[in-house]
C-alpha cells in the first residue's frame, strides 16, 4: 500500500535525514535506545510512499567534525568521547561515558557524531534554502550537555543545529521539546543566550528522569524568560497535554518571533511507553507535530527542523509517530485511519514475532479545553500551566491571566 494523497496546496521542499549507517548508534542488546527504532521508521515511511514524494530529498548524514561538535561541546568532552570510543574498556563515568544509561562501545564517537551530523545537515539545508522543512528522526538527543553525556545521549544534535543556524545569521531560534523527559541538556547549553527560546513540555521531574524542568527554571541573568518549562503530572493524557501546549507555546512563539523553529519529538509520552508515565496517544503526538508545523508557517515563513528523541515502544509507537512527523513536515499528512501497510506489518511479525498495529492512529477522540475557557485551580495540569505562565509570560510582555 502506498499513500500519496493528491493535495492541491504546494508542498514545502523537505529534507529527510536517513541512512542505515545511523543504526550504528547502538548501546547493545537490551538497551532501551534500540537502533531498530530508526530502521522501522524508515521502512514504514518507505511503505507509505513518503520518500517517493517529488519534493522530498532523503540525505545521508556525514560524521560531524570535532570543530563542529565543539561549537556546543567542550574540546575536553569531545576528546573524552574519542578515547572511550577507541577503548571502551576504559570508561569516563565522570563525563557520563560508560554508565548504565550510556554504555561505552567501540565506534561510539563516529556513531554519535553521525547523528549530530544529521541535524547539522538539516540546519544547512534551511540556511542555503534547499529545504523549508527538515527532519532528522535519528536526532533529538536532548540530555547531552556541554561537558557530559546523559540519558542515552552523547552529542546534542539539536543544540548543534541551533548553533549552526545562529552562526549562519539567524537572529532568533525557538526550540520546542515535547519528549516525556525534560530537555535539560539543550536548555543548559543556551541557558544564558537570549537568542534562543527553549520550551520543554514534559512529565514532572518529581516522578521522572532527569529530575529537572520546573517552572522556576527561566534562564540565566542575560536571558531571563528564554527557558520555559511545563512540568506535567504523571498520568496526564491527551486532553491535559494538548491544553498545556496550546496555553503556553503559541503565545510565547508569537512574542519571541523566531526566524526558525527546531523541535524535538520524543514519543515516549505515549501511554504504552515503558520508561515514562504520560498517557498520550499517537493521535495526540501527531496533533502536536501539526501545531508546531503551523507555528513555523505563521511565524518563521515555514522554516522548521524536526528531530526525533525518546520513544521505547519500538514496534507499536515510534515508527508510526515519526512517520506522521515526516508526513506532516512534507506537507502530505497521513490520516489517522490509514491502514498500516501490510508489507511493513509482515516485516515486524517476521523480525520481532509480534503483531504491529493495523491503523496509523490509536483511534481515540482528541479533545481538549482551550485555555480561554478559564483557569481551574483544582486541576493539577492547570496549576502547572499557570505556574509556567506566571514565571515567564511577564518577561515577554504577556499577561499570564489573559494572553
Amino acid at each position: 500500500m502506498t499513500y500519496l494523497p493528491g493535495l492541491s496546496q504546494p508542498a514545502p521542499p523537505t529534507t529527510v535525514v536517513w541512512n542505515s549507517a545511523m543504526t550504528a548508534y547502538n548501546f547493545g542488546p537490551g538497551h532501551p535506545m534500540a537502533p531498530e527504532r530508526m530502521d522501522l521508521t524508515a521502512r514504514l515511511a518507505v511503505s507509505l510512499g513518503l520518500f517517493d514524494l517529488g519534493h522530498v530529498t532523503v540525505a545521508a548524514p556525514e560524521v560531524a567534525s570535532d570543530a563542529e561538535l565543539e561549537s556546543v561541546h567542550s574540546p575536553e568532552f569531545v576528546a573524552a568521547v574519542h578515547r572511550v570510543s577507541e577503548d571502551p574498556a576504559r570508561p569516563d563515568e565522570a563525563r557520563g561515558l560508560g554508565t548504565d544509561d550510556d554504555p561505552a562501545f567501540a565506534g561510539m564517537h563516529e556513531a554519535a557524531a553521525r547523528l549530530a551530523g544529521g541535524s547539522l545537515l538539516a540546519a544547512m539545508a534551511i540556511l542555503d534554502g534547499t529545504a523549508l522543512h527538515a527532519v532528522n528522526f535519528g536526532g533529538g538527543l536532548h540530555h547531552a550537555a556541554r561537558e557530559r553525556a546523559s540519558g542515552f545521549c552523547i552529542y546534542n544534535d539539536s543544540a548543534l543545529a541551533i548553533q549552526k543556524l545562529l552562526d549562519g545569521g539567524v537572529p532568533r531560534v525557538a526550540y520546542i521539546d515535547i519528549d516525556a523527559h525534560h530537555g535539560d541538556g539543550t536548555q543548559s547549553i543556551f541557558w544564558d543566550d537570549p537568542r534562543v527560546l527553549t520550551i520543554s513540555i514534559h512529565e514532572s521531574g518529581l516522578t521522572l528522569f532527569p529530575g529537572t524542568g520546573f517552572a522556576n527554571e527561566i534562564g540565566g541573568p542575560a536571558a531571563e524568560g528564554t527557558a520555559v518549562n511545563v512540568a506535567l503530572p504523571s498520568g496526564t493524557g491527551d486532553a491535559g497535554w494538548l491544553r498545556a501546549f496550546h496555553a503556553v507555546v503559541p503565545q510565547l512563539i508569537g512574542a519571541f518571533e523566531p526566524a526558525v523553529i527546531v523541535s524535538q519529538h520524543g514519543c515516549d509520552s505515549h501511554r504504552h511507553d515503558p520508561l515514562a508515565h504520560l498517557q498520550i496517544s499517537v493521535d495526540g503526538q501527531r496533533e502536536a507535530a501539526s501545531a508546531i508545523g503551523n507555528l513555523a508557517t505563521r511565524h518563521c515563513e515555514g522554516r522548521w527542523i524536526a528531530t526525533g528523541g525518546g520513544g521505547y515502544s519500538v514496534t507499536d509507537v515510534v515508527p508510526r509517530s515519526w512517520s506522521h512527523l515526516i508526513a506532516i513536515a512534507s506537507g502530505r499528512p497521513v490520516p489517522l485511519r490509514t491502514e498500516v501497510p501490510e508489507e511493513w506489518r509482515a516485516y515486524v511479525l517476521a523480525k520481532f514475532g509480534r503483531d504491529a498495529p493495523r491503523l496509523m492512529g490509536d483511534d481515540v477522540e482528541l479533545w481538549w479545553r482551550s485555555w480561554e475557557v478559564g483557569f481551574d485551580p483544582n486541576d493539577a495540569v492547570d496549576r502547572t500551566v499557570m505556574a509556567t505562565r506566571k514565571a515567564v509570560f511577564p518577561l515577554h510582555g504577556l499577561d499570564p491571566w489573559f494572553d
Side-chain angles (χ1 to χ4, degrees):
M1 173 184 174
T2 299
Y3 182 76
L4 292 171
L7 300 182
S8 58
Q9 62 265 37
T14 303
T15 293
V16 178
V17 177
W18 170 244
N19 185 273
S20 61
M22 294 166 69
T23 62
Y25 192 78
N26 186 351
F27 290 116
H31 192 282
M33 195 74 155
E36 289 84 2
R37 305 174 327 138
M38 291 184 279
D39 177 66
L40 286 173
T41 297
R43 288 177 182 272
L44 182 54
V46 167
S47 293
L48 290 165
L50 300 176
F51 288 177
D52 296 329
L53 298 170
H55 61 286
V56 172
T57 300
V58 179
E62 301 292 334
V63 174
S65 69
D66 287 3
E68 288 172 323
L69 296 169
E70 289 166 10
S71 68
V72 301
H73 294 290
S74 70
E76 294 78 13
F77 175 68
V78 174
V81 177
H82 273 287
R83 288 194 299 272
V84 174
S85 179
E86 292 163 5
D87 186 2
R90 300 182 64 185
D92 188 343
E93 294 191 17
R95 290 188 172 93
L97 303 169
T99 63
D100 288 343
D101 275 359
D102 296 276
F105 63 94
M108 180 171 66
H109 164 76
E110 290 79 6
R114 189 180 302 279
L115 298 188
S119 290
L120 288 170
L121 186 161
M124 283 305 304
I126 299 297
L127 286 170
D128 65 23
T130 58
L132 193 61
H133 296 169
V135 181
N136 178 17
F137 57 85
L141 304 182
H142 61 166
H143 294 307
R146 174 174 167 78
E147 301 277 0
R148 195 174 191 279
S150 177
F152 314 162
C153 306
I154 307 300
Y155 295 129
N156 193 317
D157 62 284
S158 296
L160 285 160
I162 293 168
Q163 190 63 51
K164 173 67 78 173
L165 293 169
L166 296 173
D167 292 344
V170 173
R172 290 174 306 283
V173 179
Y175 170 78
I176 304 171
D177 189 319
I178 59 172
D179 194 287
H181 301 81
H182 177 221
D184 58 331
T186 313
Q187 173 181 284
S188 69
I189 288 169
F190 296 108
W191 182 252
D192 215 32
D193 192 332
R195 300 172 298 171
V196 182
L197 174 71
T198 64
I199 305 176
S200 181
I201 300 177
H202 49 268
E203 181 180 337
S204 171
L206 295 174
T207 54
L208 192 67
F209 174 91
T212 56
F214 297 99
N216 62 353
E217 298 172 33
I218 63 170
E224 287 189 346
T226 60
V228 180
N229 290 286
V230 184
L232 293 169
S234 174
T236 299
D238 286 324
W241 192 67
L242 290 168
R243 175 168 165 81
F245 179 98
H246 288 287
V248 171
V249 180
Q251 297 86 340
L252 289 170
I253 295 297
F256 188 69
E257 297 182 338
V260 183
I261 288 175
V262 176
S263 55
Q264 197 268 20
H265 296 260
C267 50
D268 44 6
S269 58
H270 194 271
R271 62 197 184 196
H272 292 160
D273 195 273
L275 298 189
H277 316 100
L278 297 178
Q279 298 294 310
I280 313 306
S281 64
V282 166
D283 310 45
Q285 292 168 347
R286 177 184 183 274
E287 177 66 27
S290 180
I292 291 169
N294 289 338
L295 288 171
T297 299
R298 188 175 308 130
H299 298 286
C300 309
E301 298 180 338
R303 291 181 292 268
W304 177 30
I305 296 172
T307 69
Y312 310 102
S313 180
V314 173
T315 60
D316 290 2
V317 176
V318 179
R320 289 187 298 152
S321 186
W322 288 350
S323 290
H324 279 302
L325 177 63
I326 294 167
I328 288 166
S330 70
R332 295 295 182 259
V334 175
L336 290 162
R337 294 290 300 173
T338 301
E339 292 185 357
V340 174
E342 192 55 43
E343 63 182 6
W344 187 84
R345 296 185 73 249
Y347 177 81
V348 171
L349 181 61
K351 185 172 178 63
F352 296 93
R354 57 182 295 136
D355 290 323
R358 292 189 174 277
L359 296 177
M360 284 297 294
D362 288 333
D363 203 21
V364 304
E365 184 177 347
L366 280 185
W367 176 89
W368 66 94
R369 292 184 305 124
S370 167
W371 189 256
E372 284 73 19
V373 304
F375 164 60
D376 180 359
N378 295 314
D379 183 272
V381 169
D382 277 21
R383 292 197 300 272
T384 291
V385 170
M386 184 54 81
T388 300
R389 288 169 65 103
K390 285 183 174 180
V392 297
F393 270 35
L395 297 169
H396 293 271
L398 297 170
D399 188 316
W401 292 97
F402 300 109
D403 283 325

